[in-house]
Structures are given as structure tokens and as C-alpha cells.
């Protein structure tokens, strides 16, 4: 059975083309969403894999519910296109670290497991702030250096403080879970997820960074919880190697090829066009090692 690769892209299209080349295999269907804000849509192609560039394009905003919306759109498009063994959610600046032969063999060996990585740190305060309070102007979380941007930040901060002082909570009955939103999940789980689409979009309106929460919470409170590949490690559970520093994701750089390919994980994020030597090394490695 084929695999579906679901890619969210908004910039760095040279890297996106390398990513497509690394996934260009007849055993794959690839679904790409290009952000609505992109005016000059790149020409993308594959020779072996079926490539679907979504006609419906969403204006995706950081930390906003539109991030959930685009993920659900990709899952829904791929799910209704064909039945797939696995659905791999990637950004346009991610890369696989293994060949397609390895990837298909790995997921066949662990067929039925859900590769969802759960955060291990204490996050109760973080969850309270992100999804148990109301956030104003959710489409404008990114810092704006203007009077209007300052006004939005001020009002958002005041409203959050008001909720804290007065004890205003939302979603009280939900035990939220969190982790990286980049996952590899089965057809059965995607079908289950899509039955909750309307409820998800309603629950997570006016929240903050809930794309890291909605899928994990739904999975945790379902029978699919018993199918999680690894509860103890967020990286191993998702099969993604992601490097963090000061609560920010660090890009991989030239000279770090050996460190990357010597990990036990299947995917890595993220890369940039300033370090294309590393990207070319990775693409050569995964396409030649069959």
C-alpha cells in the first residue's frame, strides 16, 4: 500500500524541490499545500510519485488555528484520494534521512503503530496559557512593529491578565496533551481524526499554538493510544530529529551531515538555503542508498 506525504510549504522552494526528489518514488503520493500569501507559486514536479498541489490554499498564520486548518485539509485530501498505509506530515524545509526502501520497510515492520511524539516535560502551565484562555487577534501573534501591532499586543496581554485574575477558564473538561505536530499516522487514525474536524476547529478557535496539541489530545483519549510507537521519547515517538535552543528550532548547518545520518530517526527538520551543501549531501545519501 502506498504512503502519503503531506507537505506544508511557504518559502525556501529550492529545498522543497530537493524534498520532492527524495520522495519521488512510485510507492508514494505527495500532497503539497502552498501558502495563500505566496504570489509566485513554484513549478513542482515528480517523475515516479503522484504529485498533487492543492488548489485550495489557506492563509496560514503562525500559532493561529489556521495551522490546524491546513493540516486537516491535507489529511482530508490525501484520505479521500486513496487509502494509504501511512500519512507523513512534513514542512517544506524537512528532509528524510533514510531511503524510500528503508522507510517503507520500517513502517511495514511496525504497521499499525502511530508515530506521534509526546512532550515529556512538565507543561501544565503552558497548556493553561495556550488552550485554556481566550487569545485576542489570533491571526496576528507575530510581532508587528507598528502602532496597530503594539495595540493588539497590549490588548491581548490585558485580556489574558484579566482572565487570570478573574479565574476565567475554557475547555476545563479536556485533559490536553502536546508534542511536535509533525507525525506519521495510519489510515485508520486519519479517518478517526477527520470525524472530529468540526469539533476540533470549534475547540481551538482563539487558542495559541494548538497545532501541537489537537492531534495529540485526540489520540491520547482514543483507542489509538494503545498503538503509540513510543511514549517515552518525543523524537523517537515521531521519528523526527529536531534540535532546539532557547525554545527555538535550530536549522541544520553545513558540516553536520554525519551527526544527522547517524541518528536513529527517519526525518529531520529544519533546513535552509544558506546551507545547501548539507541538503545536497542528504539527498545524495537517501536517493543512492536503496
Amino acid at each position: 500500500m502506498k504512503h502519503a506525504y503531506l507537505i506544508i510549504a511557504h518559502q525556501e522552494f529550492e529545498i522543497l524541490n530537493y524534498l520532492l526528489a527524495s520522495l519521488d518514488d512510485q510507492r508514494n503520493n505527495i500532497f503539497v499545500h502552498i501558502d495563500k500569501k505566496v504570489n509566485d507559486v513554484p513549478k513542482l514536479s515528480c517523475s515516479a510519485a503522484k504529485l498533487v498541489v492543492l488548489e485550495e490554499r489557506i492563509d496560514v498564520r503562525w500559532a493561529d488555528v489556521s495551522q490546524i486548518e491546513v493540516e486537516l485539509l491535507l489529511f482530508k485530501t490525501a484520505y479521500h484520494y486513496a487509502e494509504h498505509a501511512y500519512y507523513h506530515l512534513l514542512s517544506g524545509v524537512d528532509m528524510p534521512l533514510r531511503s524510500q526502501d528503508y522507510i517503507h520497510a520500517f513502517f511495514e515492520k511496525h504497521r499499525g503503530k502511530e508515530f506521534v511524539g509526546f512532550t515529556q516535560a512538565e507543561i501544565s502551565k503552558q497548556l493553561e496559557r495556550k488552550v485554556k484562555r481566550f487569545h485576542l487577534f489570533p491571526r496576528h501573534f507575530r510581532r508587528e512593529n507598528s502602532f496597530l501591532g503594539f495595540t493588539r499586543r497590549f490588548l491581548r496581554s490585558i485580556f489574558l491578565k484579566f482572565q487570570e485574575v478573574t479565574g476565567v477558564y475554557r475547555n476545563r473538561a479536556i485533559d490536553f496533551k502536546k508534542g511536535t505536530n509533525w507525525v506519521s499516522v495510519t489510515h485508520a487514525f486519519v479517518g478517526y481524526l477527520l470525524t472530529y474536524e468540526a469539533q476540533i476547529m470549534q475547540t481551538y478557535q482563539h487558542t495559541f499554538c494548538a497545532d501541537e496539541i489537537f492531534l495529540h489530545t485526540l489520540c491520547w483519549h482514543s483507542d489509538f493510544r494503545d498503538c503509540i510507537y513510543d511514549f517515552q521519547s518525543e523524537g523517537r515517538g515521531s521519528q523526527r530529529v529536531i534540535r532546539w535552543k532557547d525554545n527555538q528550532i535550530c536549522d541544520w548547518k553545513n558540516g553536520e551531515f554525519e551527526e544527522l545520518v547517524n541518528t536513529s530517526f527517519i526525518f529531520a527538520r529544519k533546513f535552509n538555503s544558506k546551507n545547501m551543501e548539507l541538503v545536497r549531501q542528504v539527498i545524495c545519501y537517501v536517493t543512492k542508498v536503496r
Side-chain angles (χ1 to χ4, degrees), residues 54-85:
L54 274 60
E55 292 184 5
E56 181 179 350
R57 296 168 60 200
I58 296 169
D59 178 4
V60 182
R61 301 296 183 94
W62 180 79
D64 177 45
V65 73
S66 56
Q67 290 191 302
I68 296 177
E69 186 180 4
V70 72
E71 291 181 20
L72 290 173
L73 176 62
L74 280 163
F75 279 123
K76 181 164 55 178
T77 302
Y79 183 85
H80 291 300
Y81 186 88
E83 182 174 349
H84 300 89

Side-chain angles (χ1 to χ4, degrees), residues 39-50:
N39 294 320
D40 188 11
V41 177
K43 292 183 178 180
L44 306 173
S45 64
C46 288
S47 58
K50 175 64 178 179

